[in-house]
Amino acid sequence: MFYRASLQAAAALASLSLLAGCGLLSDSGSEVEQKIVVGTTSEPSTLDPAAAWDNSWELMRNVFQTLMSYPSGSTKPEPDAAEWCKFTDTTSTSYRCKLRAGLKFSNGDKLDAEAVKYSIDRITALKVKGGPVGMLGSLDRIETKGDDIVVFHLTKPDATFPFILTTPAMSLVAPSAYSEHKLRSDGKITGSGPYLLDSYKPGKSAELVKNPDYKGYANRKNDAVTIRYFKDSAPVVAALRKKEIDAIYRGLTAEEVVSLEENKDKESNLQIVETVGADIRFLVFNPKDPAAGNVAVRRAIAQLVDRDALVAKVYQGTAEPLYSMVPKGIAGHTTSFFDAYGDPDQGKAKQILTKAGINKPVELTLWFTTDRYGSSTAPEFDELKRQLESSGLFRITLKSKPWKTFQEGFTKGEYPVFGRGWFPDFPDPDSFIAPFLGKDSITGMPYMKNEITKDLLPQTRKESDRGAVSKQFEQVQKILVDDVRILPLWQGKLYVASGEDIGGGERALDPQTVMQMWELYRKASW
């Protein structure tokens, strides 16, 4: 039967399974290989870390290593491929790491200091538009000392640099398998992570098997994982009910979550684990578009959007309104957009447009992706269209594309307004501000704001106590409200649904909301 498992309850349940992670017993008493099948609507857009600043991280976390990462239960960077890492100066401009001994890639190449240097330098050399190069803005150069010491020299103090090194974008790759001149495109991966990519079929599946040479923090509780990719939530949920898959991550609609929570299907023997989410959704405005480039148009939209109605109608309590780019639960969260605009008000929106000399309905096209953020995305944009058009101030056209072509479009600046989601690079307010600013903004469009990028953010990066930077981030968000280049909409909750014989769901998500597949296991039966 369905039941809702809180984090505490799920953890208690997991502890009852004394043989967890040790395999199941066959009828003959021998141990059976544990294989887990996970379904998701979040297919990678690339297998190359140098281009990955999106949900491709889901797969990469499980097949690559990074110098630092998040062991289950940790919210601070801890060593992974590194034995230790630390700042070696008082200004947070020199960060040194010593590698674990005996590391090697899946092709047999040695994972040494030069390989680490190559992996990070390759990101800056390729400079993939919309890729993770923007995360390395403070990096000056990388120095190696012997086979096992890597020193990152920064151009300015950056207390967030250890967090950056935890991201799957900073995955370590074998130099012999990854060109410094172009992205890898053969559908294969050469890493040193907990699993090997045995096979990959775009749009269908990824087959992961244990890496016998892995040396890292991950305690693998299964032997192999199949990730199946679905276009919509209905087929992935149907597959779970038919026991064709064991678990779902990313792909449940609000209705499906509510159905699971309310215990409506008593015969399916499924469970759902809810965790606090830091994922956000927002609109991005193209400053070069004749309509969206007008700040009055953007402010009128900010005055009209009814987040409460959006969340209630489309997400049914599985999300909550968001009034700043920094979500609840993260230091520096504010309600800056509510403070500036208050409740939705058609009269005020009309005044904004009239004052700017706009007296006719504004024609605008809103774009969204069909296969990245779940099946609720289309209803969400239907509701946004309804809200804007009911004011009589806008005429909205909706258009959509699958993620890969959608991403190509927004990085070329083709869309006037489009919807994006963001899962944090790391659990810090910087991760919800810096990626959207500068010439390498992940929106695909440069957003230059010197007051933020040259003053406020550098101030925060000098402070290792991340809870002490709230005032600077409050000021940053006031500037974002004035520009309305980005309009936050809602903050989500995260869910893992699975058969009740599957354990580990409560530990499977790291602080970057990335699935650690090694935590899932099939509970032993007596």
Side-chain angles (χ1 to χ4, degrees):
M1 58 183 287
F2 282 121
Y3 65 97
R4 179 177 181 175
S6 67
L7 294 181
Q8 295 82 1
L13 180 62
S15 69
L16 295 177
S17 185
L18 300 180
L19 298 181
C22 300
L24 300 180
L25 296 179
S26 69
D27 291 340
S28 63
S30 61
E31 197 170 285
V32 178
E33 183 180 42
Q34 278 220 32
K35 294 183 178 180
I36 303 293
V37 183
V38 177
T40 180
T41 58
S42 183
E43 179 189 357
S45 64
T46 177
L47 298 186
D48 193 325
W53 208 352
D54 59 17
N55 286 349
S56 301
W57 288 9
E58 305 285 7
L59 178 59
M60 292 177 185
R61 171 61 75 213
N62 294 277
V63 293
F64 289 108
Q65 276 185 292
T66 47
L67 285 171
M68 303 287 281
S69 194
Y70 295 99
S72 296
S74 173
T75 57
K76 295 193 303 182
E78 302 285 349
D80 183 6
E83 183 177 310
W84 53 259
C85 289
K86 62 183 178 181
F87 281 107
T88 56
D89 62 348
T90 58
T91 58
S92 298
T93 57
S94 181
Y95 195 68
R96 179 179 295 226
C97 295
K98 180 180 180 181
L99 292 175
R100 292 177 187 262
L103 295 176
K104 64 180 180 179
F105 292 105
S106 55
N107 64 354
D109 290 358
K110 184 165 70 171
L111 199 173
D112 57 11
E114 284 298 328
V116 173
K117 182 180 187 304
Y118 182 90
S119 299
I120 309 301
D121 280 345
R122 181 173 177 267
I123 297 170
T124 57
L126 290 173
K127 292 182 181 177
V128 176
K129 192 170 185 180
V133 65
M135 299 173 66
L136 295 171
S138 65
L139 180 62
D140 179 24
R141 62 188 176 88
I142 304 173
E143 178 185 8
T144 62
K145 296 187 175 184
D147 285 346
D148 61 352
I149 298 293
V150 185
V151 184
F152 298 91
H153 296 282
L154 310 181
T155 59
K156 52 196 172 184
D158 188 357
T160 71
F161 195 74
F163 293 89
I164 291 168
L165 291 180
T166 68
T167 67
M170 304 298 141
S171 293
L172 306 178
V173 301
S176 65
Y178 290 83
S179 168
E180 60 184 328
H181 303 295
K182 63 180 180 178
L183 295 173
R184 185 170 181 175
S185 58
D186 62 357
K188 297 181 180 180
I189 281 175
T190 307
S192 59
Y195 297 98
L196 305 177
L197 181 64
D198 191 51
S199 68
Y200 178 70
K201 298 178 181 178
K204 294 184 179 180
S205 65
E207 299 286 347
L208 310 183
V209 296
K210 262 187 178 180
N211 179 359
D213 298 316
Y214 171 68
K215 292 184 178 182
Y217 70 88
N219 177 20
R220 293 165 295 185
K221 298 177 181 177
N222 57 62
D223 300 297
V225 177
T226 296
I227 307 173
R228 288 184 55 190
Y229 300 111
F230 295 79
K231 297 297 184 185
D232 302 298
S233 66
V236 71
V237 173
L240 182 64
R241 287 178 171 145
K242 294 176 184 176
K243 302 187 182 302
E244 295 171 352
I245 62 175
D246 298 307
I248 298 175
Y249 178 50
R250 299 204 198 282
L252 292 169
T253 64
E255 292 82 3
E256 288 156 350
V257 170
V258 170
S259 175
L260 289 168
E261 290 179 326
E262 293 182 353
N263 200 22
K264 290 182 178 178
D265 187 342
K266 300 182 184 299
E267 303 302 322
S268 294
N269 298 316
L270 302 181
Q271 61 180 336
I272 187 165
V273 174
E274 175 187 313
T275 64
V276 176
D279 58 316
I280 63 174
R281 297 292 187 276
F282 52 93
L283 294 178
V284 181
F285 296 91
N286 187 340
K288 295 184 178 180
D289 181 77
N294 189 325
V295 68
V297 171
R298 302 198 298 267
R299 289 173 179 168
I301 291 174
Q303 186 64 71
L304 287 172
V305 169
D306 188 338
R307 295 170 177 80
D308 286 324
L310 180 66
V311 167
K313 290 183 179 181
V314 180
Y315 292 100
Q316 300 180 43
T318 62
E320 55 185 315
L322 181 64
Y323 294 95
S324 77
M325 289 302 289
V326 180
K328 289 181 180 179
I330 302 292
H333 168 72
T334 69
T335 56
S336 51
F337 273 90
F338 185 82
D339 298 340
Y341 293 98
D343 292 321
D345 192 313
Q346 294 183 12
K348 289 181 180 179
K350 185 174 182 179
Q351 288 177 6
I352 293 171
L353 293 174
T354 301
K355 188 176 180 179
I358 301 173
N359 298 303
K360 292 192 283 186
V362 178
E363 296 189 3
L364 206 55
T365 301
L366 273 59
W367 284 82
F368 63 93
T369 179
T370 57
D371 59 352
R372 171 59 48 170
Y373 306 120
S375 302
S376 296
T377 307
E380 175 181 342
F381 275 77
D382 287 338
E383 173 61 16
L384 289 171
K385 172 182 168 72
R386 185 198 67 77
Q387 291 182 12
L388 296 177
E389 289 189 337
S390 66
S391 70
L393 303 174
F394 289 89
R395 291 176 183 164
I396 303 297
T397 300
L398 297 180
K399 292 187 178 181
S400 60
K401 288 182 178 180
W403 174 254
K404 287 186 178 180
T405 49
F406 175 77
Q407 186 180 38
E408 291 170 1
F410 73 69
T411 55
K412 293 177 182 177
E414 295 177 354
Y415 309 146
V417 186
F418 59 94
R420 276 295 309 265
W422 183 245
F423 303 91
D425 296 336
F426 43 85
D428 186 272
D430 192 282
S431 186
F432 294 92
I433 301 295
F436 307 104
L437 296 163
K439 62 181 181 179
D440 296 312
S441 166
I442 59 98
T443 65
M445 293 171 288
Y447 184 4
M448 313 307 292
K449 205 69 179 179
N450 288 344
E451 185 179 356
I452 298 176
T453 57
K454 293 187 177 181
D455 182 18
L456 292 170
L457 285 183
Q459 286 181 37
T460 69
R461 289 172 178 172
K462 294 177 182 177
E463 180 57 68
S464 58
D465 179 3
R466 305 308 292 160
V469 296
S470 296
K471 287 186 177 179
Q472 291 93 332
F473 280 107
E474 288 172 8
Q475 194 172 344
V476 166
Q477 290 171 85
K478 289 178 181 177
I479 296 170
L480 297 182
V481 167
D482 189 56
D483 286 349
V484 202
R485 285 277 300 274
I486 305 171
L487 183 65
L489 297 174
W490 55 267
Q491 171 181 352
K493 300 174 184 177
L494 297 176
Y495 300 88
V496 176
S498 68
E500 62 179 2
D501 62 327
I502 300 299
E506 72 286 348
R507 294 174 56 84
L509 304 184
D510 72 9
Q512 295 162 324
T513 70
V514 172
M515 174 74 91
Q516 301 176 139
M517 300 294 179
W518 58 83
E519 290 289 352
L520 300 177
Y521 61 88
R522 200 173 307 281
K523 299 172 188 174
S525 58
W526 298 91

